[in-house]
Amino acid sequence: MDNRDALDFGAMSIPQLFQKLFWPTLLGMVSMVLLNLADGIFVGRGVGSDGLAAVNIAAPIFQISTGIALLFGSGVSIVAAIHMSKGNQKAANINVTQAFTMGLLLMTLIVAIINIFPYATCRLFGGSDTLFPLVREYLKWVSPCVVFMVINYIGTFTLRLDGSPKLAMAANMTAAGLNIVLDWLFVFPFGWGMMGAAFASSLSAGIGACFIVWYYLGHSHQIKLYKPKFSATAIRLTLRNCGYQIRLGLPAFIAETAISCMMIVGNFMFMSRLHEDGVAAFSVACYLFPMIFMFGNSIAQSAMPIISYNYGQGNTDRIRQTTRVTLVTGVVFGLLMTTIGYFGTPAIAELFLGHSSPAYALCIKGLPLFSLCCIFFTLNLVLIGQEQSMEHYGRSTFYMLLRGVFLIIPCFILLPRFIGDTGLWLAVPTSEAITLVIITIVELLSK
């Protein structure tokens, strides 16, 4: 059904418009996270704690893939929304085509490097010689998945901008549902272990990508893809446009790849103090963190086309209304996730590890502390997303680097020295809380 008029970014009631974008975006993004989450659950129960730890060592490749997709997806959604608000549809179409092209080329190159140097990748991500065979097997078969994920995530942004958020949600939910079924089939009845979980993710993500391709082969409303050109002039213009998309999308890229930083630094610290069982326990938190990210990111990304469109038209009142709605939503979901993580730890640990695993007791003690980060992290993403939507990429990039790199590394290193192993679990909440305080102070002083 043609729904190009269903979303009017300049006139529709802000709460109504936000809801129309938020729920499909949330369900679609959370569904994509389930691709990796299902791997962790089935590997943890079907292969064991070493398998779960190995998947966690390889997991940064998912964050890198999602980060690249967010880099171009969020950047092009801002650029295209501003062009569309000014009636320049051709420029919007060209930018979307370039975002898909550059995102796919970059991720394909990274996947090739990782598979050429699997041992170096394992050690770089915090793995040990014991875990290397499992890490290598998983990386080999999950590589197509992370390339397909670039198509899925950029498609989520562009379909939403094109007025089809429900189709983007359907594509992602189909991929996630299929992955759960195939994970069970390949890991248990087929007995394929690590290979089975990875292959299930690749196959499922590929089918989700087919939805996006089908949409742009003749079913889109306003946004149309161009055939990529590779002349000197076309390459120069593509690099120029993508450079601007990257500047705008850099905060979202840092937000996602900062999860990789958290995982890698955490893997090293947990390995040094609690060894493989510690990494397995930490992996449960690492599986949940992208889910937390997707809740906050869904709020920020749903507001992005609304803010960017009205920013292009100079409508500050609608921007303020959108900010109020997103902050309230962020507080509600942040508190909900903190509560679930704090009180639901036994069920979560059992889902991944089982009572018999030595890592289970470590997870029971640590996960409630880690869950305190949810409310701070969600609000940070909402506030940074607002800056990003109005082309304040310098400030938004600084905030993301602050919480994702500049604070998280010292927190992981210093807190355990002062308060022992508890500091490992409190590193992320402390980093996020300090960032929120700094953002609040800076924003208040700048007004």
Side-chain angles (χ1 to χ4, degrees), residues 251 253-265 289 377 380-381 384 396-410 412 428 431-432 435:
F253 171 79
I254 295 172
E256 181 65 30
T257 52
I259 300 178
S260 298
C261 180
M262 178 201 75
M263 288 181 174
I264 294 169
V265 176
F289 198 73
F377 182 47
N380 284 338
L381 288 181
I384 295 170
S396 56
T397 299
F398 170 73
Y399 290 151
M400 282 300 186
L401 286 172
L402 184 67
R403 54 154 296 276
V405 180
F406 299 150
L407 290 175
I408 191 65
I409 296 176
F412 259 123
V428 176
S431 172
E432 297 296 342
T435 301

Side-chain angles (χ1 to χ4, degrees), residues 81-98:
I82 294 174
H83 280 309
M84 291 169 68
S85 72
K86 297 177 179 179
N88 194 346
Q89 188 62 50
K90 181 179 180 180
N93 294 344
I94 291 173
N95 273 271
V96 170
T97 303
Q98 293 166 338

Side-chain angles (χ1 to χ4, degrees), residues 115-148:
N115 280 277
I116 292 171
F117 304 104
Y119 183 77
T121 300
C122 176
R123 299 300 294 182
L124 179 65
F125 289 172
S128 63
D129 289 341
T130 301
L131 298 177
F132 170 65
L134 295 172
V135 174
R136 178 178 55 189
E137 181 180 7
Y138 186 77
L139 284 173
K140 175 181 177 182
W141 290 95
V142 86
S143 293
C145 172
V146 294
V147 175
F148 292 137

Side-chain angles (χ1 to χ4, degrees), residues 129-369:
D129 289 341
T130 301
L131 298 177
F132 170 65
L134 295 172
V135 174
R136 178 178 55 189
E137 181 180 7
Y138 186 77
L139 284 173
K140 175 181 177 182
W141 290 95
V142 86
S143 293
C145 172
V146 294
V147 175
F148 292 137
M149 284 174 63
V150 172
I151 300 176
N152 292 334
Y153 273 116
I154 295 179
T156 296
F157 283 95
T158 56
L159 265 68
R160 185 171 64 240
L161 188 61
D162 197 47
S164 299
K166 291 182 179 179
L167 181 61
M169 174 191 70
N172 292 332
M173 291 186 70
T174 299
L178 182 61
N179 184 56
I180 293 173
V181 174
L182 293 179
D183 259 325
W184 170 82
L185 181 66
F186 294 165
V187 172
F188 290 105
F190 285 18
W192 290 352
M194 301 291 289
M195 184 206 78
F199 182 54
S201 293
S202 293
L203 185 58
S204 303
I207 291 175
C210 287
F211 271 86
I212 307 299
V213 173
W214 168 83
Y215 180 79
Y216 281 115
L217 286 179
H219 300 85
S220 57
H221 302 314
Q222 299 181 73
I223 297 175
K224 309 293 181 182
L225 298 184
Y226 284 79
K227 182 179 179 180
K229 298 179 180 179
F230 299 98
S231 65
T233 301
I235 292 174
R236 179 176 57 82
L237 293 175
T238 296
L239 292 176
R240 184 199 66 183
N241 290 342
C242 287
Y244 188 52
Q245 293 173 24
I246 288 171
R247 287 200 298 273
L248 294 176
L250 190 59
F253 171 79
I254 295 172
E256 181 65 30
T257 52
I259 300 178
S260 298
C261 180
M262 178 201 75
M263 288 181 174
I264 294 169
V265 176
N267 285 338
F268 277 109
M269 293 303 298
F270 273 85
M271 183 72 76
S272 67
R273 297 181 68 96
L274 299 173
H275 312 296
E276 279 82 6
D277 288 333
V279 175
F282 177 57
S283 71
V284 177
C286 291
Y287 278 112
L288 297 179
F289 198 73
M291 185 71 73
I292 301 167
F293 172 78
M294 284 307 167
F295 274 93
N297 195 43
S298 295
I299 299 171
Q301 301 304 333
S302 298
M304 185 170 290
I306 305 174
I307 294 176
S308 296
Y309 188 95
N310 287 281
Y311 175 73
Q313 292 194 327
N315 195 333
T316 56
D317 183 61
R318 287 179 65 81
I319 294 175
R320 285 194 294 267
Q321 292 180 52
T322 306
T323 301
R324 286 194 294 269
V325 170
T326 56
L327 286 175
V328 170
T329 308
V331 169
V332 170
F333 276 90
L335 289 174
L336 177 62
M337 289 182 290
T338 297
T339 303
I340 292 173
Y342 194 88
F343 293 103
T345 290
I348 295 171
E350 170 69 21
L351 182 64
F352 282 90
L353 296 167
H355 287 284
S356 61
S357 171
Y360 178 83
L362 296 174
C363 187
I364 288 292
K365 293 179 181 179
L367 193 57
L369 300 175

